[in-house]
Amino acid sequence: MQEVLSGSTVGVTAERKAEEIGDMLARRGARVLFGAAMHTVPLPEDGELAAATREVLSAPVDFVVAITGVGFRGWVEAAGDELVQHLAGARVVARGAKAKGAVRGAGLREEWTSPSEESAEVRDHLLERGVAGKRVVLQVHGDPMLEFRRALTDAGAEVVPVAVYRWTDPVDLAPLDQLIDAVIAGEVDALPFTSAPAATNFLARADRTDRGEALRTALREVLIACVGPVTAAPIAKAGLPHVLPDRARTAALVKLVEQELSAR
């Protein structure tokens, strides 16, 4: 592969996909700086997840919303056959192909899948179907999705959120701090983000260490690429310019970074 990014430095804040993204960028000639901005922690089976599962099992379910493949799969693995049997009569809605795959892997069948893989599209679909008086189970992935839940509740639904994971600071903060310092020093050309929590905590970590203003100023000279609108939300809220690929895929995100940096 032609090293079209030779001379460019790209910061990678992902945790789970860090190696994959780093390899793709390195093959294109980029210098890669790793600084995971968050850490995903599975909720213990005997804690919050088990309590949420008991709540789901306590009454019939009208709608089930699978937001992420890894989250829905992890929930089913932890809860077992009783959960699958309980959800068998519900209408299942999936946010994208990976969530749909997890639904089918559990032996369930989705009624509808979001073409754009955006939570807002799932929310709108449910509101159009009508949720007044319905019990909606919402599998969330770290982000509590408060606005999504509020919209359904305001429409008359009973919403039961099920969090399979929560997000915390990375186990080792040093690489993240070094990446923030590198951005502030003008040493980073691009920052691809693959999740909203990573984008949120990248900015929040700088704020907590009195580097927030300096980071935001420096970021206006950096190519910020977000894999999709959900990931971009914290960046947009901060008023920072950013770009999105046509498809919410890691490969498309890396390709966009390549194209944008080459054009610059």
Side-chain angles (χ1 to χ4, degrees):
M1 179 178 292
Q2 186 179 2
E3 295 190 347
V4 293
L5 293 181
S6 180
S8 296
T9 298
V10 182
V12 173
T13 63
E15 177 190 45
R16 187 168 56 89
K17 294 187 176 183
E19 184 176 353
E20 176 188 355
I21 295 172
D23 286 347
M24 286 192 286
L25 291 166
R27 287 199 300 270
R28 289 165 168 81
R31 172 188 177 226
V32 181
L33 298 181
F34 292 99
M38 40 74 72
H39 175 55
T40 304
V41 181
L43 296 179
E45 188 176 345
D46 60 349
E48 295 176 49
L49 181 57
T53 301
R54 288 194 296 272
E55 175 66 18
V56 170
L57 295 174
S58 68
V61 176
D62 297 295
F63 288 97
V64 181
V65 183
I67 293 296
T68 63
V70 65
F72 194 83
R73 190 177 301 109
W75 181 29
V76 170
E77 289 173 355
D81 293 338
E82 184 181 4
L83 174 65
V84 175
Q85 292 170 6
H86 190 73
L87 300 180
R91 297 173 177 176
V92 183
V93 173
R95 191 200 68 173
K98 292 182 180 179
K100 178 176 73 174
V103 167
R104 293 191 178 185
L108 300 170
R109 196 75 180 184
E110 79 289 348
E111 179 183 80
W112 181 84
T113 302
S114 165
S116 69
E117 304 191 3
E118 294 182 23
S119 298
E121 189 173 39
V122 177
R123 176 202 63 206
D124 293 345
H125 172 79
L126 291 170
L127 294 176
E128 289 170 5
R129 290 299 307 270
V131 294
K134 304 297 184 182
R135 193 164 189 252
V136 181
V137 170
L138 174 64
Q139 173 261 316
V140 300
H141 181 62
D143 177 5
M145 299 179 66
L146 296 178
E147 293 183 6
F148 187 113
R149 289 157 56 182
R150 189 177 301 114
L152 298 187
T153 301
D154 289 347
E158 176 194 353
V159 181
V160 183
V162 178
V164 187
Y165 299 90
R166 61 183 172 86
W167 283 305
T168 67
D169 274 339
V171 177
D172 184 3
L173 282 166
L176 175 57
D177 284 334
Q178 291 164 6
L179 178 55
I180 291 172
D181 285 340
V183 172
I184 292 172
E187 299 171 1
V188 176
D189 300 293
L191 276 174
F193 286 102
T194 58
S195 73
T200 297
N201 207 44
F202 187 76
L203 300 174
R205 175 63 183 172
D207 289 335
R208 294 195 300 269
T209 52
D210 298 321
R211 294 175 291 172
E213 184 176 349
L215 176 66
R216 285 167 174 77
T217 298
L219 283 173
R220 296 192 174 279
E221 303 301 321
V222 175
L223 169 66
I224 303 175
C226 302
V227 74
V230 173
T231 297
I235 300 299
K237 185 176 181 180
L240 296 168
H242 56 280
V243 295
L244 288 77
D246 293 334
R247 299 178 70 246
R249 293 286 185 272
T250 302
L253 179 67
V254 172
K255 185 65 176 177
L256 178 63
V257 170
E258 175 188 331
Q259 292 171 341
E260 291 286 334
L261 287 184
S262 297
R264 293 186 179 192

